[in-house]
Amino acid sequence: MIKDKEVVLSGIRPTGNLHLGNYYGALSKFVRLQETHDCLFFIADLHALTTNTDPDELHRNVKSILAEYLAAGIDPDKVSIFVQSDVPELSELYLLLNMHVGIGELMRTASFKDKARQCLGLSRENCSDSDDESIEKEIIGASTNKRVCAGLLTYPTLMAVDILAQKARWVPVGKDQLQHLELTRRFARRFNQFYGVEEFIEPDNFEFGDAPVKVPGLDGSGKMGKSEGNCIYLVDDPKVLRKKVMRAVTDEGPKEPNSPLSEPIANLFTLMELTSDPAVVQQFRDAYADCSIRYGDLKKQLAEDILKVTTPIRERINDILADDDYMRRVLARGADRARQQASQTLAEVRHIMGIRKI
Ligand code: TYM
């Protein structure tokens, strides 16, 4: 098959094992795209530093994400896999692009407000989304031991650099990353207009004809996320996974035919739509509509269908983790390729911005 020349790039932070949100929002798309596009997939260790301060844990997580990438079917003979910090050109580009990024626009980013709140130990309730002023006050007035690090604020600049450095056209990510992609497009456009150049390509999210994915958690509300404690991990063994699914929050069941779905039940159906056969999903939807549904049956089915997806991945991970040489070779090759394009982009950007030899 002839590959599309358009570049695809995406990354995942090494902050723990990958969960179903990472899988359906990102990883499963990576595996499909590698067949048709020119792809680079990386491990965003510098981004992980914005929230992770344990060096040994970070190192362990980089290895486990790499093993999970490979176990899920990313083929290093078809794509480049690299660690972000192995491409030092990105750090200089990050410094340069930051000269064109406003502090205000970064402070208004939803993920920044969320993470800043977490750093300061504030709950959503006493600091609502619309209440920008109160969160700004908290950030500025925070004591030094509860500070919000500057790296968290400039997170979107680094993410934009990851993408723009490789001239990527497509960025497969989950719904939660769309605001960061919007900022990337804005920064690219601003840079091009400011200098009157066509240096950067404006990237888009990649979906296979579906709407952007937001995988819900098992706790009845919100998205699946490491910091939410509501995850099913690709490495969960069958016993753990079944237990998690059986404990998922539900409601008291439909009282009348064709009742609307409550949020916890809608979430279970969303998970089922991702993992189960459409005919099976329909069967449970019909049972809900005529009030004959038994949530225990639905959960049992869901757990088995999730296991069909995760088991082959889980079974390959340990073999890969045991082979350091192989992992090193994969990353060295990936870094070489990523550095080639990044150093070219850096040379162009330096020149455009006036950093030139006398
Ligand atoms: P991270 O590590 O938070 O998440 C990695 C990918 O998983 C997706 N994801 C989800 N998708 C659907 N439902 C969920 N519950 C869910 N949870 C996570 C995320 O959307 C993401 O695609 N900023 C990025 C890492 C990054 C990056 C980049 C991505 C750094 N530079 C450049 C693309 C291009 C992040 O935080 O990923």
Side-chain angles (χ1 to χ4, degrees):
M1 182 185 295
I2 298 172
K3 283 201 180 192
D4 194 314
K5 285 277 183 304
E6 284 182 330
V7 173
V8 169
L9 171 126
S10 193
I12 297 184
R13 285 173 307 143
T15 49
N17 285 120
L18 298 185
H19 51 72
L20 284 187
N22 301 131
Y23 183 74
Y24 286 107
L27 195 52
S28 64
K29 294 191 263 182
F30 299 178
V31 176
R32 282 176 74 180
L33 280 163
Q34 69 181 347
E35 305 299 337
T36 51
H37 285 69
D38 183 10
C39 299
L40 297 112
F41 299 122
F42 70 100
I43 301 167
D45 58 344
L46 299 176
H47 275 111
L49 284 175
T50 59
T51 50
N52 186 322
T53 49
D54 183 327
D56 293 329
E57 194 181 305
L58 178 67
H59 180 64
R60 261 197 317 278
N61 288 342
V62 169
K63 271 181 85 170
S64 69
I65 301 280
L66 173 61
E68 286 169 306
Y69 272 4
L70 296 166
I74 297 187
D75 180 349
D77 290 330
K78 293 182 180 159
V79 306
S80 301
I81 307 175
F82 65 97
V83 179
Q84 189 180 30
S85 61
D86 282 339
V87 185
E89 291 78 6
L90 298 175
S91 299
E92 188 176 341
L93 279 166
Y94 166 58
L95 182 148
L96 295 173
L97 189 64
N98 256 332
M99 304 306 166
H100 288 279
V101 172
I103 296 173
E105 59 192 338
L106 293 174
M107 285 190 84
R108 286 191 295 274
T109 309
S111 59
F112 171 70
K113 286 189 277 178
D114 248 15
K115 294 258 161 57
R117 253 186 230 117
Q118 281 169 20
C119 288
L120 297 174
L122 301 170
S123 67
R124 272 177 182 278
E125 288 70 43
N126 58 26
C127 206
S128 77
D129 249 2
S130 55
D131 199 359
D132 282 356
E133 252 177 52
S134 80
I135 180 103
E136 275 166 36
K137 261 196 217 138
E138 295 282 353
I139 291 168
I140 291 167
S143 64
T144 43
N145 62 349
K146 265 197 174 178
R147 72 196 174 276
V148 175
C149 80
L152 201 55
L153 183 66
T154 53
Y155 185 113
T157 316
L158 182 57
M159 178 156 162
V161 161
D162 294 328
I163 300 165
L164 301 177
Q166 302 298 338
K167 312 264 166 123
R169 173 70 186 88
W170 300 108
V171 184
V173 284
K175 200 171 176 182
D176 60 315
Q177 295 298 311
L178 295 186
Q179 193 180 22
H180 287 154
L181 261 189
E182 184 57 48
L183 282 173
T184 302
R185 284 193 289 275
R186 194 198 293 171
F187 299 160
R189 204 175 315 132
R190 182 181 297 158
F191 185 95
N192 287 349
Q193 278 170 1
F194 187 86
Y195 293 106
V197 292
E198 285 184 23
E199 176 60 17
F200 293 135
I201 297 173
E202 289 187 36
D204 279 301
N205 177 34
F206 191 98
E207 299 294 339
F208 286 92
D210 321 315
V213 181
K214 178 179 148 193
V215 178
L218 296 171
D219 50 355
S221 67
K223 67 162 190 166
M224 187 174 286
K226 285 163 216 165
S227 53
E228 325 295 327
N230 60 5
C231 293
I232 296 176
Y233 294 100
L234 300 180
V235 292
D236 280 343
D237 71 44
K239 216 168 132 193
V240 170
L241 193 147
R242 287 191 185 107
K243 207 163 169 184
K244 282 184 180 175
V245 175
M246 294 315 286
R247 283 191 183 155
V249 174
T250 52
D251 59 17
E252 289 170 353
K255 301 266 183 300
E256 291 167 24
N258 303 313
S259 319
L261 300 176
S262 66
E263 196 182 351
I265 305 305
N267 287 351
L268 290 179
F269 273 109
T270 302
L271 284 169
M272 209 174 206
E273 254 146 23
L274 290 165
T275 51
S276 305
D277 194 79
V280 171
V281 184
Q282 194 53 49
Q283 184 193 320
F284 281 99
R285 282 202 183 277
D286 293 345
Y288 184 89
D290 68 17
C291 303
S292 65
I293 193 160
R294 293 197 334 207
Y295 291 147
D297 293 345
L298 181 145
K299 288 176 174 179
K300 266 189 210 142
Q301 177 78 42
L302 180 60
E304 296 316 306
D305 290 339
I306 294 174
L307 279 169
K308 277 191 206 136
V309 177
T310 59
T311 302
I313 301 176
R314 193 187 69 249
E315 287 176 350
R316 281 194 289 265
I317 287 176
N318 284 342
D319 285 348
I320 297 168
L321 275 177
D323 195 347
D324 276 349
D325 273 352
Y326 172 61
M327 290 197 286
R328 270 188 219 113
R329 278 199 308 278
V330 167
L331 292 181
R333 221 181 337 148
D336 272 357
R337 151 88 204 273
R339 287 195 70 179
Q340 264 174 33
Q341 179 61 60
S343 60
Q344 192 182 320
T345 306
L346 175 59
E348 290 162 5
V349 169
R350 281 175 140 242
H351 184 82
I352 290 166
M353 292 180 77
I355 299 173
R356 300 171 194 164
K357 291 267 180 293
I358 293 185

